[in-house]
Amino acid sequence: MASPIDRVVHYLSQLPGIGEKTATRLTFFVLRQKPAFAKELAAALGDLHDKVSLCRRCQNLTEENPCRLCADPRRDPKTILVVESPQDLLAIERSQSYRGLYHILHGAISPLEGVGPDDLKISELLARLGSEGIQEVILATNPNVEGEATALYLLKILTPLGPRVTRLASGVPVGGGIEYLDPLTLRRALEGRQLFHSERSANRE
Amino acid sequence: MSIEELHFRDFRNIQEQVWNLVPSLNVLEGENAQGKTNFLEAVYFLANGRSFRGTEYAGLIRFGASETQLHGRWSHEGLESRLDMKILPEGREAKFQGKAIVRLAPVQAGLRVLVFTPDSSTLFRSPPQARRKYFDHAISVQRPAYATALSRYQRVLRQRNQLLEHGGDPTLEAAFDLQWAECALAVMKERESYLEEIRGPWRRRFRDLLGSEEALDFQWRGELTAVPNLETEALLKALDGVRREEKRRGRSLLGPQRDDLQVTFAGHPVKEVASQGQQRMLVIALKLAEADLFQAQSGKSPVFLLDDLGSELDARHQGLLLRILGALKAQTLLTTAQ
């Protein structure tokens, strides 16, 4: 059996962005703390798999099932926003601009990495459409090649099921400069151009 | 704009060299095989992040050294810029004005380095791949947005090829087809618009050099370039025509990755009708036209690297080219055998 230091370094260095040097530094840091620190850390790590699971509705990471977002009666249960990862969900929640439900795919389609539709939580999404009376699905996968392919794929298989399927707009970032935008982004921004807010409300009256 | 100081360490056979340059003509004299071309290659690498000989990073590091360091300082109207570059076997690291950068676009917005070597003359006799590589780079430094569009297209292409090779469900294939069409269109339109922009200067510079008014023309040629009103629908329709063959061969058979820039004299391909001398002038004219575009866009003059010019041009044309570069106020680094 390897020494306790080697074992901790071995596991830490498998974390993304952490090499053996950093892993060694972190290990010595833990050793310099009071013993309770290591015990608490170990207990917290142990709880991860025991206490955190996927929400049976939205597939988010949660301690309760269904998760707090799915159980919140103030949220609009007729709209689902589809994201690739829990981090994406957190970003949208931070923006406080969405009050519906979510669905997390846990990845995006990428033939190069061997990730196909069956490797994502797509069948779970289809099941929800059948049982929850969903009126709108908002596709909020990343605007890169893989996210875009996933959105186009979902668009094709969801549309026949009845809900309105929408895609997050893409275009000029707030605070960004037009001269640095690539042609594809500019093209989309132009195609998706909109009336000013004031004109929109004037038109409605 | 001119380079004032260069400091190279462990690049090819260069152990350590410091150069102070004048803003006009700098001549590097020496026997062959003394590393004159290596010096120009290092200057080119600073501004382009790659070798003009197509060498991988590991091949540029001096034998026995673990990394190469290149430092350059240049100025424009009294404002100094500084670039520090490290070449490691697995990649390069750059610091511009002391801050780490990944893409060299901010450097290239101010420092444009163009090179002409004896190898450059073969550009229009080489296979299409060499021209695509050349123009992909030339367009990318002039229009950073092209680099973004191209790398996205290449990603889509790789994903799509993987899918074609291993087969996938038709809905998924359609999703990648649509992206392929959008990205291919972006690349093709940008290439076309660059060609529109450089056509005039390129013809003008060719006339400056040869004094003759050939009916010179340039066109992107490929399976899709002749399609009128090229839009995504037309691309998808063209894809339908080759779908069966694509599935059989397991890869994409259409797209700008197969296009070629064809140059013609009075309608005839240049490699069939032009003399070697004319082809050489065509390449020099192209570089001068690239300089014109850069100057028009940035108000700055580029730096020209001319390797072993005497082996390529007679005395009259050497004089002519140097006078043109003088008029452009382009700093020139020239190597010559004794």
Side-chain angles (χ1 to χ4, degrees), chain A residues 109-113 117 143-146 148-149 152-153 156-157 181-184 187-188, chain B residues 145 148-149 152 155-156 158-159 162-163 169 171-172 174-176 178-179 182 185 190 231:
Chain A
I109 295 172
S110 171
L112 283 171
E113 281 138 301
N144 55 24
V145 170
E146 293 73 24
E148 204 72 21
L152 287 167
Y153 177 81
K156 284 187 199 239
I157 62 165
L181 287 183
D182 66 287
L184 192 63
R187 191 185 167 83
R188 293 223 176 128
Chain B
T148 318
R152 188 170 172 115
R155 180 80 187 165
V156 172
R158 284 175 57 212
Q159 291 282 21
Q162 183 76 15
L163 204 58
D169 88 58
T171 314
L172 191 54
F176 277 103
L178 190 57
Q179 280 210 82
E182 272 192 343
L185 196 65
E190 199 73 8
E231 288 302 329

Side-chain angles (χ1 to χ4, degrees), chain B residues 160-174 177 239-253:
Chain B
R160 187 167 184 271
N161 283 342
Q162 183 76 15
L163 204 58
L164 283 167
E165 196 184 330
H166 297 286
D169 88 58
T171 314
L172 191 54
E173 283 176 6
D177 289 354
L239 210 53
D240 282 337
V242 297
R243 197 172 303 276
R244 187 179 298 220
E245 186 64 8
E246 283 193 327
K247 287 216 164 135
R248 198 176 66 77
R249 312 244 304 252
R251 62 189 172 86
S252 298
L253 295 177

